[in-house]
Structure formats: C-alpha cells, structure tokens
Amino acid sequence: MGLAAAMVLLIVSVLTGCGGEKKETAEEILEQVRANTEDMDSLSAGMTMELSMNVAESGVSMTLDMDGDFDMEFTSDPMASHMKGTLSMSLMGISMEMESYTVVEDDKNVTYANSAGEWTRTESEMTDENQTEAMVSLFDDAVSYTLSDETEEVDGEEAYVLTAEVSGNLMQDLMGGMAESMDEVSGTMDWSAFSADVTLKVNRETKMPAQVVMDCGDSLSALLESSSEDSASVGIDKYVITITFHEFDNVEEIVVPEEAKSAVEGNSDTDGNFDDFLNETESEGAETQESETDETAEEGPVANADGTYTLNSYWGEGSVNIGVPQGFEVSPYSDDTYLAFVDTYNKDLDSVYLTYNLSSDYTEEELLDYYQDDVAYYQEDEDYSNVTVEDAKKVQTSRGEAGYVKVSYTFDGDSNYVEYYAYMFLDDNLVLECNIEENAYQQECSLVDEATIMETVFSVVS
C-alpha cells in the first residue's frame, strides 16, 4: 500500500506540472498586455502594406499593386506622429519616398506630408482618441482572441499568437486618415459591416505586443462595392497591413522640421482646412460642369493635329507621341501619363485593351522583376488557375527592338486572359511599356496575334 501511495503521488505531481509550467490563456495574456500598455506614452514601429486591386469601368480594366514599407513613431502627450518610408506602385513601375508629420496646432490635427519632394499641409478636426490609443484598444477585452497552440518568432524572440475578427469603429479608428479619405471618395461608409482578420503576436517574456497583422481584403472589397454609386467596379484582391513594434516609451518629442513649414507657408491651396479646399475646388468647377454635357465629359485626352496623343513620363523626364493602333480607339479614361486603347471589334465575350506608360532609368532586369511580381500574385491567389508564363522574347519592329513576356491564366473559373508585358527602350533613358490584355468569357482568347501585335502597338510611336 505504501508503494501504491507513492506511485499515486508521483502521477499527481506530473499531471499538476511538477517540473513543468501552467499554460496561460488568451485572457490572461491580454490582461498582462493591457496592464503593461495602460500608461504607455509613446511607441515606435515598422509597418508594411500589401494592396492589390482591380478597377474596371466602361470596358477598361486595370490591376494595381501597391507595397509600402514605413517606420512610424507616435507620442500621446503631446499627440503627434511621424512616418517615413517607401511606396511602390506596379502599374506605373515607380517607387517614391514619403514622409509625414501629424501634430496639434490651434486645436486641430495638422499633417505635413512630403511626396515627390514637395511638402503639403492639411488640417482635420481633432478626435477624442489618438492612433496610439486606438492601437492599444486592440488589446481590449472587448476583442475575443483565440490562443494558438504554437508560438512564433518575431525579431528573433518567441511570441504567443492570438487571432480574432475585429470589426466596426475600431478598424475605422485604426485606419485613421485612410478611413477619412475612403469616406470622402465613396461617401459615408457603413463601417459596422467592415471586419478584419487580426493576428496579434505577444512577446512571451515581456508580455508586450510584438506584431499585429490585419487582413481585410475581402471585407474592404465588399464595403467599397456596397458604397459605390458610380459605374466603376473596384475589387480588392489583397489588403494586408503588418505592424511590428520596436520600442515603447522611448520616443523623443516629435517636431515638424522648419523645412516642411516654410515649404507650404503662404500656399493657400495647402495652408488651410483640407475639407474647405475640396469644397472650394468643387464650387469653382460647378459652373464649368453645368455647361458640359455627359458626352463632353467622357471625350478623353485631346489629340494632336496629326491625330497622335502625347504620353508624358510620370516625373516629367520626357514624352512620346502615340497614334491610334489599327483596330483600336482611345479610351476616354486615359490621361497624359496613362494612355489606354480598347479594341473596336464589338464582341461581347472577347475584348482587348492596350495601356501605355512611359518611365525612365529602368534596366531590363528591373522591368522583368516587376512583371514577375505580378505573375507571382497570380500563382499564389486561388482565384487564378492555369497560370502559364513564357520566357521573355525579343522581336524587331519598324520602330526598333521590343521585348515582351507572355502570360496566360483563368480567373474565377470562367474568364480566360492572355497578357503581354511589352517594353521598348528609347533615347534619354526612357522606356515605353505597353500592357496588352485580352479577356474572353467562357471561351479561348483568339483576337491577339502574337506574331503581329508588337508591330501593331509600337509602330505608332513617334
């Protein structure tokens, strides 16, 4: 009996964690996080953004991929923020440095933003909660998290992984100025219908937040569709924001540099309330709009005397003239940096779109890398199937040598696509890109002839 009792004690000691440790619950971890961040005065973090969207209107469609990588700082007293980083856009093949400061001036939130080397200033009404407090509200007990059985590493340190679905006004607060911009573009949006899959990673040792990943592509796409009042169709294939926390209570006072203040001083378009500026602009254009018919509003770019259209590079390094390719007509939604043409075949189930843009200082290797990034997205997204990528080819046209990559795929099970990512290097370090896209619904693509299409699109360039 003594031996049996000893065995029971041994088993009980093992089952109750002798030499082990009690597993913490999601509620216990969050409680410690809340306690550690309750009096937090500042934080610094890194943020990455991945956005992929499709825009279609009046038969013209395009895909836009945007990637952002930013360093951020926030303080609570005084309320201020500083963000600096890079934003890349695949459509125009550009990457730009961006920086912004948001501070309180005369009881208003004032943002100084620098992009393309130019500072602007905008104002907005102050809110009861700053973005630091909104970030902390992610750890509130009102958000129901589930604790994963496995931990992950964040910046080389072990972290708990908690997941939840976050919706409503919390996401609106977290998105800050971006949410305000979306409301301005699409009208007041029903944020109660918005949600995001949130993954919160908590440092296992310090019980401080290590990383937040917010995936809200599906919900944002549905939200935009429900709020849109025009004919444009906007689909969000991917929208993921990742915030990695670096330090807490270690940010010095955030001060707007004099360079930013002096750059916008005296500029009435930017030195004032942004909403007022928008209203003034709309009022000034009202009389002009009243005198224009809908037909005039959709005439598109103005042709030159010889029937060509001038395409400028995005940063103004140069320009080329492009004639209308045979079998196509200019799209009314073109502009001087993005020239689009649509075929005139008038076939309901098969159509072709050409989009030209002009850039500079890119090598062929860099261009192909951009194209491969687009293709990688097709290969990873479950909505795309039968993705086929051919090796880059070269062909001689009457305008000069052109290169291209051919990609074919099926979207959503019934729409077949063939795309040609074409390019030609011109003088003065300029490169002319042309995206050729054929779309056929429930049938094979048959309109574009690979043997002649490069001559068609580049022979009209002068």
Side-chain angles (χ1 to χ4, degrees):
M1 291 188 63
L3 180 59
M7 291 296 294
V8 170
L9 289 172
L10 177 61
I11 293 172
V12 170
S13 68
V14 171
L15 292 178
T16 55
C18 180
E21 78 177 295
K22 175 180 174 292
K23 181 178 179 180
E24 294 183 275
T25 65
E27 291 76 14
E28 291 171 336
I29 295 171
L30 286 171
E31 184 177 353
Q32 294 178 73
V33 172
R34 287 193 295 272
N36 291 338
T37 57
E38 185 176 9
D39 298 321
M40 183 173 60
D41 293 324
S42 68
L43 66 88
S44 62
M47 182 186 77
T48 61
M49 179 195 74
E50 301 172 86
L51 170 65
S52 181
M53 61 190 296
N54 289 290
V55 181
E57 184 170 5
S58 301
V60 179
S61 64
M62 62 179 178
T63 299
L64 172 64
D65 292 330
M66 297 178 64
D67 295 289
D69 190 352
F70 300 92
D71 291 321
M72 306 185 299
E73 297 177 310
F74 300 92
T75 61
S76 296
D77 188 17
M79 288 195 298
S81 66
H82 175 221
M83 181 173 71
K84 185 176 183 179
T86 304
L87 182 68
S88 302
M89 291 178 280
S90 64
L91 181 63
M92 292 174 284
I94 63 173
S95 179
M96 65 176 71
E97 299 294 324
M98 305 181 70
E99 185 174 16
S100 69
Y101 291 85
T102 299
V103 294
V104 177
E105 294 180 5
D106 298 327
D107 296 326
K108 289 185 179 293
N109 283 327
V110 178
T111 298
Y112 296 86
N114 185 344
S115 62
E118 182 177 350
W119 285 97
T120 59
R121 179 185 186 276
T122 59
E123 290 183 2
S124 62
E125 295 298 326
M126 288 186 61
T127 60
D128 295 332
E129 183 179 50
N130 60 48
Q131 281 191 273
T132 305
E133 294 169 332
M135 192 77 67
V136 172
S137 62
L138 272 175
F139 320 137
D140 194 275
D141 55 9
V143 182
S144 179
Y145 283 94
T146 300
L147 177 63
S148 172
D149 292 332
E150 303 294 331
T151 59
E152 294 183 9
E153 278 197 5
V154 178
D155 288 341
E157 297 189 15
E158 188 178 8
Y160 294 111
V161 180
L162 302 96
T163 57
E165 183 178 72
V166 176
S167 60
N169 293 330
L170 174 56
M171 287 306 303
Q172 185 180 10
D173 292 339
L174 285 168
M175 296 180 76
M178 185 177 294
E180 294 177 9
S181 298
M182 290 167 61
D183 281 339
E184 288 177 1
V185 172
S186 301
T188 302
M189 304 179 77
D190 181 13
W191 286 95
S192 64
F194 182 74
S195 64
D197 293 323
V198 173
T199 300
L200 170 63
K201 301 177 185 179
V202 177
N203 188 294
R204 188 173 183 272
E205 186 69 27
T206 65
K207 300 300 188 296
M208 292 293 285
Q211 189 177 75
V212 174
V213 181
M214 293 177 283
D215 186 343
C216 42
D218 292 340
S219 181
L220 183 58
S221 185
L223 188 63
L224 289 173
E225 289 178 7
S226 65
S227 63
S228 178
E229 297 179 356
D230 54 31
S231 60
S233 171
V234 180
I236 306 294
D237 296 319
K238 182 179 184 181
Y239 185 45
V240 178
I241 297 176
T242 302
I243 298 173
T244 303
F245 299 95
H246 298 323
E247 292 184 319
F248 302 92
D249 291 328
N250 199 29
V251 178
E252 298 180 357
E253 182 182 3
I254 296 173
V255 178
V256 180
E258 287 302 319
E259 172 194 1
K261 291 184 176 181
S262 60
V264 299
E265 187 174 352
N267 186 342
S268 59
D269 285 352
T270 56
D271 189 11
N273 185 285
F274 185 58
D275 293 331
D276 291 341
F277 169 62
L278 288 177
N279 292 334
E280 290 170 8
T281 304
E282 291 172 358
S283 298
E284 290 170 0
E287 294 182 4
T288 303
Q289 288 181 335
E290 289 175 2
S291 65
E292 293 179 342
T293 64
D294 290 341
E295 180 180 356
T296 303
E298 293 191 358
E299 284 182 353
V302 178
N304 300 316
D306 60 357
T308 64
Y309 293 86
T310 299
L311 176 68
N312 298 309
S313 64
Y314 189 79
W315 299 115
E317 303 94 336
S319 63
V320 295
N321 288 340
I322 297 180
V324 180
Q326 184 176 4
F328 290 82
E329 60 187 10
V330 66
S331 165
Y333 301 100
S334 301
D335 60 35
D336 64 347
T337 61
Y338 176 81
L339 196 55
F341 297 89
V342 60
D343 66 70
T344 57
Y345 298 113
N346 295 319
K347 296 186 67 174
D348 293 335
L349 302 180
D350 199 353
S351 52
V352 184
Y353 307 99
L354 310 177
T355 53
Y356 293 85
N357 67 279
L358 189 66
S359 52
S360 65
D361 295 327
Y362 283 102
T363 66
E364 186 170 22
E365 182 180 3
E366 288 172 330
L367 287 176
L368 294 176
D369 284 342
Y370 279 122
Y371 300 154
Q372 289 300 329
D373 288 342
D374 285 343
V375 173
Y377 171 74
Y378 297 153
Q379 293 170 329
E380 294 169 1
D381 193 297
E382 60 183 11
D383 290 333
Y384 296 82
S385 58
N386 305 320
V387 180
T388 302
V389 186
E390 298 184 6
D391 292 335
K393 299 178 182 178
K394 295 289 183 65
V395 63
Q396 194 67 33
T397 73
S398 58
R399 181 62 180 81
E401 185 181 68
Y404 69 93
V405 176
K406 181 180 179 181
V407 180
S408 59
Y409 56 87
T410 302
F411 178 74
D412 206 20
D414 52 15
S415 294
N416 294 313
Y417 286 80
V418 174
E419 294 185 13
Y420 297 86
Y421 296 96
Y423 56 93
M424 176 178 287
F425 287 92
L426 308 176
D427 296 335
D428 300 323
N429 295 319
L430 294 173
V431 56
L432 178 65
E433 299 174 70
C434 183
N435 184 37
I436 305 158
E437 178 187 281
E438 179 177 359
N439 172 28
Y441 181 67
Q442 293 185 344
Q443 63 181 16
E444 294 300 317
C445 295
S446 59
L447 293 181
V448 174
D449 179 12
E450 183 175 354
T452 61
I453 188 61
M454 296 303 148
E455 176 66 21
T456 298
V457 300
F458 288 113
S459 62
V460 296
V461 178
S462 60

